[in-house]
mmCIF file of all heavy atoms in Angstrom:
data_model
loop_
_atom_site.group_PDB
_atom_site.id
_atom_site.type_symbol
_atom_site.label_atom_id
_atom_site.label_comp_id
_atom_site.label_asym_id
_atom_site.label_seq_id
_atom_site.Cartn_x
_atom_site.Cartn_y
_atom_site.Cartn_z
ATOM 1 N N ASP A 15 29.684 20.045 -0.105
ATOM 2 C CA ASP A 15 29.642 20.326 -1.496
ATOM 3 C C ASP A 15 28.338 19.803 -1.987
ATOM 4 O O ASP A 15 28.103 18.653 -2.248
ATOM 5 C CB ASP A 15 30.787 19.475 -2.177
ATOM 6 C CG ASP A 15 30.892 19.719 -3.736
ATOM 7 O OD1 ASP A 15 29.940 20.401 -4.243
ATOM 8 O OD2 ASP A 15 31.782 19.146 -4.365
ATOM 9 N N TRP A 16 27.446 20.776 -2.193
ATOM 10 C CA TRP A 16 25.979 20.463 -2.611
ATOM 11 C C TRP A 16 25.901 19.926 -4.019
ATOM 12 O O TRP A 16 24.875 19.416 -4.416
ATOM 13 C CB TRP A 16 25.169 21.750 -2.472
ATOM 14 C CG TRP A 16 25.085 22.183 -1.052
ATOM 15 C CD1 TRP A 16 25.642 23.170 -0.438
ATOM 16 C CD2 TRP A 16 24.296 21.475 0.054
ATOM 17 N NE1 TRP A 16 25.313 23.273 0.850
ATOM 18 C CE2 TRP A 16 24.534 22.268 1.234
ATOM 19 C CE3 TRP A 16 23.454 20.423 0.079
ATOM 20 C CZ2 TRP A 16 23.947 21.861 2.385
ATOM 21 C CZ3 TRP A 16 22.834 20.018 1.223
ATOM 22 C CH2 TRP A 16 23.106 20.724 2.426
ATOM 23 N N ASP A 17 26.991 20.040 -4.892
ATOM 24 C CA ASP A 17 26.989 19.624 -6.210
ATOM 25 C C ASP A 17 27.468 18.133 -6.317
ATOM 26 O O ASP A 17 27.403 17.490 -7.378
ATOM 27 C CB ASP A 17 27.729 20.534 -7.092
ATOM 28 C CG ASP A 17 27.018 21.874 -7.214
ATOM 29 O OD1 ASP A 17 25.834 21.920 -7.283
ATOM 30 O OD2 ASP A 17 27.754 22.892 -7.154
ATOM 31 N N ALA A 18 28.058 17.672 -5.252
ATOM 32 C CA ALA A 18 28.787 16.306 -5.330
ATOM 33 C C ALA A 18 27.627 15.257 -5.347
ATOM 34 O O ALA A 18 26.606 15.365 -4.616
ATOM 35 C CB ALA A 18 29.625 16.073 -4.107
ATOM 36 N N PRO A 19 27.716 14.212 -6.046
ATOM 37 C CA PRO A 19 26.723 13.132 -6.116
ATOM 38 C C PRO A 19 26.720 12.387 -4.786
ATOM 39 O O PRO A 19 27.762 12.237 -4.077
ATOM 40 C CB PRO A 19 27.112 12.208 -7.336
ATOM 41 C CG PRO A 19 28.625 12.493 -7.474
ATOM 42 C CD PRO A 19 28.844 13.894 -7.057
ATOM 43 N N LEU A 20 25.582 11.873 -4.386
ATOM 44 C CA LEU A 20 25.449 11.148 -3.264
ATOM 45 C C LEU A 20 25.750 9.716 -3.563
ATOM 46 O O LEU A 20 25.376 9.193 -4.560
ATOM 47 C CB LEU A 20 24.082 11.160 -2.725
ATOM 48 C CG LEU A 20 23.658 12.550 -2.144
ATOM 49 C CD1 LEU A 20 22.090 12.507 -1.704
ATOM 50 C CD2 LEU A 20 24.479 12.889 -0.954
ATOM 51 N N ASN A 21 26.442 9.053 -2.645
ATOM 52 C CA ASN A 21 26.781 7.600 -2.836
ATOM 53 C C ASN A 21 25.792 6.817 -1.837
ATOM 54 O O ASN A 21 26.286 6.075 -1.008
ATOM 55 C CB ASN A 21 28.283 7.227 -2.488
ATOM 56 C CG ASN A 21 29.122 7.966 -3.578
ATOM 57 O OD1 ASN A 21 28.762 7.959 -4.748
ATOM 58 N ND2 ASN A 21 30.278 8.422 -3.246
ATOM 59 N N ALA A 22 24.567 7.064 -2.026
ATOM 60 C CA ALA A 22 23.560 6.373 -1.103
ATOM 61 C C ALA A 22 22.334 6.031 -1.959
ATOM 62 O O ALA A 22 22.140 6.590 -3.009
ATOM 63 C CB ALA A 22 23.265 7.294 -0.007
ATOM 64 N N ARG A 23 21.631 5.180 -1.378
ATOM 65 C CA ARG A 23 20.380 4.844 -2.096
ATOM 66 C C ARG A 23 19.346 4.585 -0.993
ATOM 67 O O ARG A 23 19.553 4.408 0.138
ATOM 68 C CB ARG A 23 20.457 3.563 -2.952
ATOM 69 C CG ARG A 23 20.649 2.230 -2.291
ATOM 70 C CD ARG A 23 20.800 1.147 -3.386
ATOM 71 N NE ARG A 23 20.530 -0.092 -3.063
ATOM 72 C CZ ARG A 23 19.499 -0.690 -2.369
ATOM 73 N NH1 ARG A 23 18.618 0.002 -1.763
ATOM 74 N NH2 ARG A 23 19.384 -2.043 -2.230
ATOM 75 N N THR A 24 18.047 4.726 -1.315
ATOM 76 C CA THR A 24 16.940 4.462 -0.463
ATOM 77 C C THR A 24 16.099 3.402 -0.983
ATOM 78 O O THR A 24 16.119 3.136 -2.235
ATOM 79 C CB THR A 24 16.176 5.815 -0.342
ATOM 80 O OG1 THR A 24 15.134 5.609 0.708
ATOM 81 C CG2 THR A 24 15.389 6.237 -1.582
ATOM 82 N N THR A 25 15.340 2.775 -0.151
ATOM 83 C CA THR A 25 14.392 1.644 -0.516
ATOM 84 C C THR A 25 12.943 2.150 -0.113
ATOM 85 O O THR A 25 12.805 3.042 0.661
ATOM 86 C CB THR A 25 14.815 0.352 0.153
ATOM 87 O OG1 THR A 25 14.505 0.541 1.530
ATOM 88 C CG2 THR A 25 16.287 0.001 -0.010
ATOM 89 N N PRO A 26 11.998 1.253 -0.559
ATOM 90 C CA PRO A 26 10.601 1.739 -0.107
ATOM 91 C C PRO A 26 10.460 1.556 1.478
ATOM 92 O O PRO A 26 9.607 2.301 1.936
ATOM 93 C CB PRO A 26 9.825 0.668 -0.812
ATOM 94 C CG PRO A 26 10.574 0.296 -2.014
ATOM 95 C CD PRO A 26 12.044 0.352 -1.617
ATOM 96 N N MET A 27 11.265 0.831 2.145
ATOM 97 C CA MET A 27 11.181 0.837 3.576
ATOM 98 C C MET A 27 11.639 1.962 4.261
ATOM 99 O O MET A 27 11.489 2.159 5.447
ATOM 100 C CB MET A 27 11.891 -0.404 4.077
ATOM 101 C CG MET A 27 11.159 -1.794 3.861
ATOM 102 S SD MET A 27 9.515 -1.852 4.715
ATOM 103 C CE MET A 27 10.160 -2.106 6.396
ATOM 104 N N THR A 28 12.306 2.966 3.597
ATOM 105 C CA THR A 28 12.753 4.171 4.132
ATOM 106 C C THR A 28 11.615 5.013 4.577
ATOM 107 O O THR A 28 11.722 5.720 5.601
ATOM 108 C CB THR A 28 13.643 4.919 3.220
ATOM 109 O OG1 THR A 28 14.667 4.061 2.711
ATOM 110 C CG2 THR A 28 14.184 6.230 3.846
ATOM 111 N N PHE A 29 10.533 5.015 3.837
ATOM 112 C CA PHE A 29 9.412 5.770 4.095
ATOM 113 C C PHE A 29 8.212 4.915 4.345
ATOM 114 O O PHE A 29 8.053 3.786 3.900
ATOM 115 C CB PHE A 29 9.086 6.679 2.951
ATOM 116 C CG PHE A 29 10.201 7.603 2.541
ATOM 117 C CD1 PHE A 29 10.977 7.175 1.521
ATOM 118 C CD2 PHE A 29 10.465 8.709 3.324
ATOM 119 C CE1 PHE A 29 12.168 8.039 1.172
ATOM 120 C CE2 PHE A 29 11.555 9.478 2.917
ATOM 121 C CZ PHE A 29 12.397 9.178 1.866
ATOM 122 N N GLY A 30 7.345 5.383 5.209
ATOM 123 C CA GLY A 30 6.109 4.511 5.562
ATOM 124 C C GLY A 30 4.912 5.438 5.816
ATOM 125 O O GLY A 30 4.884 6.642 5.549
ATOM 126 N N VAL A 31 3.961 4.863 6.389
ATOM 127 C CA VAL A 31 2.634 5.486 6.647
ATOM 128 C C VAL A 31 2.416 5.367 8.157
ATOM 129 O O VAL A 31 2.631 4.385 8.740
ATOM 130 C CB VAL A 31 1.468 4.803 5.880
ATOM 131 C CG1 VAL A 31 0.129 5.333 6.304
ATOM 132 C CG2 VAL A 31 1.686 4.922 4.342
ATOM 133 N N ALA A 32 1.930 6.396 8.764
ATOM 134 C CA ALA A 32 1.595 6.352 10.163
ATOM 135 C C ALA A 32 0.075 6.229 10.256
ATOM 136 O O ALA A 32 -0.620 6.962 9.593
ATOM 137 C CB ALA A 32 2.037 7.640 10.897
ATOM 138 N N ASP A 33 -0.386 5.309 10.954
ATOM 139 C CA ASP A 33 -1.823 5.144 11.125
ATOM 140 C C ASP A 33 -2.274 5.170 12.634
ATOM 141 O O ASP A 33 -1.654 4.455 13.450
ATOM 142 C CB ASP A 33 -2.153 3.666 10.535
ATOM 143 C CG ASP A 33 -3.666 3.349 10.762
ATOM 144 O OD1 ASP A 33 -4.534 4.235 10.969
ATOM 145 O OD2 ASP A 33 -3.953 2.181 10.857
ATOM 146 N N TYR A 34 -3.194 5.960 12.820
ATOM 147 C CA TYR A 34 -3.819 5.960 14.246
ATOM 148 C C TYR A 34 -5.246 5.635 14.227
ATOM 149 O O TYR A 34 -5.913 5.602 15.290
ATOM 150 C CB TYR A 34 -3.514 7.323 14.924
ATOM 151 C CG TYR A 34 -4.198 8.512 14.305
ATOM 152 C CD1 TYR A 34 -5.521 8.866 14.606
ATOM 153 C CD2 TYR A 34 -3.570 9.339 13.252
ATOM 154 C CE1 TYR A 34 -6.110 9.983 14.030
ATOM 155 C CE2 TYR A 34 -4.135 10.370 12.709
ATOM 156 C CZ TYR A 34 -5.416 10.691 13.007
ATOM 157 O OH TYR A 34 -6.030 11.773 12.570
ATOM 158 N N GLU A 35 -5.863 5.449 13.042
ATOM 159 C CA GLU A 35 -7.246 5.147 12.867
ATOM 160 C C GLU A 35 -7.668 3.698 13.436
ATOM 161 O O GLU A 35 -8.763 3.499 13.940
ATOM 162 C CB GLU A 35 -7.746 5.182 11.447
ATOM 163 C CG GLU A 35 -7.531 6.484 10.735
ATOM 164 C CD GLU A 35 -8.333 7.683 11.214
ATOM 165 O OE1 GLU A 35 -9.262 7.382 12.035
ATOM 166 O OE2 GLU A 35 -8.087 8.753 10.959
ATOM 167 N N VAL A 36 -6.635 2.852 13.501
ATOM 168 C CA VAL A 36 -6.894 1.448 14.002
ATOM 169 C C VAL A 36 -7.209 1.412 15.521
ATOM 170 O O VAL A 36 -7.738 0.462 16.015
ATOM 171 C CB VAL A 36 -5.808 0.483 13.694
ATOM 172 C CG1 VAL A 36 -4.470 0.824 14.525
ATOM 173 C CG2 VAL A 36 -6.203 -0.951 13.799
ATOM 174 N N HIS A 37 -6.921 2.556 16.141
ATOM 175 C CA HIS A 37 -7.214 2.564 17.669
ATOM 176 C C HIS A 37 -8.681 2.623 17.981
ATOM 177 O O HIS A 37 -9.182 2.356 19.005
ATOM 178 C CB HIS A 37 -6.450 3.721 18.248
ATOM 179 C CG HIS A 37 -4.975 3.663 18.172
ATOM 180 N ND1 HIS A 37 -4.234 4.433 17.294
ATOM 181 C CD2 HIS A 37 -4.122 2.792 18.763
ATOM 182 C CE1 HIS A 37 -2.972 4.032 17.473
ATOM 183 N NE2 HIS A 37 -2.849 3.087 18.341
ATOM 184 N N ASN A 38 -9.490 2.972 16.983
ATOM 185 C CA ASN A 38 -10.940 3.134 17.120
ATOM 186 C C ASN A 38 -11.673 2.334 16.087
ATOM 187 O O ASN A 38 -11.502 2.607 14.894
ATOM 188 C CB ASN A 38 -11.330 4.606 17.157
ATOM 189 C CG ASN A 38 -12.843 4.856 17.301
ATOM 190 O OD1 ASN A 38 -13.690 4.140 16.833
ATOM 191 N ND2 ASN A 38 -13.172 5.890 18.042
ATOM 192 N N PRO A 39 -12.526 1.421 16.439
ATOM 193 C CA PRO A 39 -13.170 0.595 15.414
ATOM 194 C C PRO A 39 -13.952 1.363 14.336
ATOM 195 O O PRO A 39 -14.008 1.052 13.220
ATOM 196 C CB PRO A 39 -14.100 -0.294 16.275
ATOM 197 C CG PRO A 39 -13.463 -0.425 17.562
ATOM 198 C CD PRO A 39 -12.721 0.816 17.806
ATOM 199 N N ALA A 40 -14.701 2.485 14.796
ATOM 200 C CA ALA A 40 -15.516 3.187 13.845
ATOM 201 C C ALA A 40 -14.545 3.902 12.901
ATOM 202 O O ALA A 40 -14.800 3.961 11.664
ATOM 203 C CB ALA A 40 -16.345 4.273 14.636
ATOM 204 N N ASP A 41 -13.465 4.509 13.295
ATOM 205 C CA ASP A 41 -12.443 5.094 12.346
ATOM 206 C C ASP A 41 -11.841 4.066 11.541
ATOM 207 O O ASP A 41 -11.608 4.310 10.239
ATOM 208 C CB ASP A 41 -11.381 5.881 13.189
ATOM 209 C CG ASP A 41 -11.992 7.021 13.934
ATOM 210 O OD1 ASP A 41 -13.012 7.511 13.590
ATOM 211 O OD2 ASP A 41 -11.313 7.404 14.906
ATOM 212 N N ALA A 42 -11.484 2.843 12.006
ATOM 213 C CA ALA A 42 -10.811 1.888 11.223
ATOM 214 C C ALA A 42 -11.761 1.341 10.092
ATOM 215 O O ALA A 42 -11.272 1.000 9.079
ATOM 216 C CB ALA A 42 -10.453 0.758 12.140
ATOM 217 N N ALA A 43 -13.082 1.507 10.292
ATOM 218 C CA ALA A 43 -13.981 0.931 9.332
ATOM 219 C C ALA A 43 -14.346 1.964 8.282
ATOM 220 O O ALA A 43 -15.048 1.631 7.314
ATOM 221 C CB ALA A 43 -15.239 0.537 10.019
ATOM 222 N N ASP A 44 -13.795 3.204 8.305
ATOM 223 C CA ASP A 44 -14.106 4.229 7.351
ATOM 224 C C ASP A 44 -13.680 3.854 6.006
ATOM 225 O O ASP A 44 -12.499 3.608 5.769
ATOM 226 C CB ASP A 44 -13.309 5.497 7.852
ATOM 227 C CG ASP A 44 -13.544 6.657 6.829
ATOM 228 O OD1 ASP A 44 -14.058 6.519 5.762
ATOM 229 O OD2 ASP A 44 -13.049 7.795 7.235
ATOM 230 N N PRO A 45 -14.592 3.707 5.067
ATOM 231 C CA PRO A 45 -14.191 3.156 3.739
ATOM 232 C C PRO A 45 -13.242 4.069 2.953
ATOM 233 O O PRO A 45 -12.464 3.609 2.156
ATOM 234 C CB PRO A 45 -15.610 3.064 2.974
ATOM 235 C CG PRO A 45 -16.616 3.729 3.802
ATOM 236 C CD PRO A 45 -16.006 3.871 5.245
#
Side-chain angles (χ1 to χ4, degrees):
D15 180 356
W16 294 105
D17 296 317
L20 293 176
N21 292 324
R23 70 182 204 41
T24 187
T25 70
M27 284 295 289
T28 304
F29 304 98
V31 173
D33 173 23
Y34 63 90
E35 303 293 350
V36 73
H37 295 107
N38 180 320
D41 294 337
D44 179 348

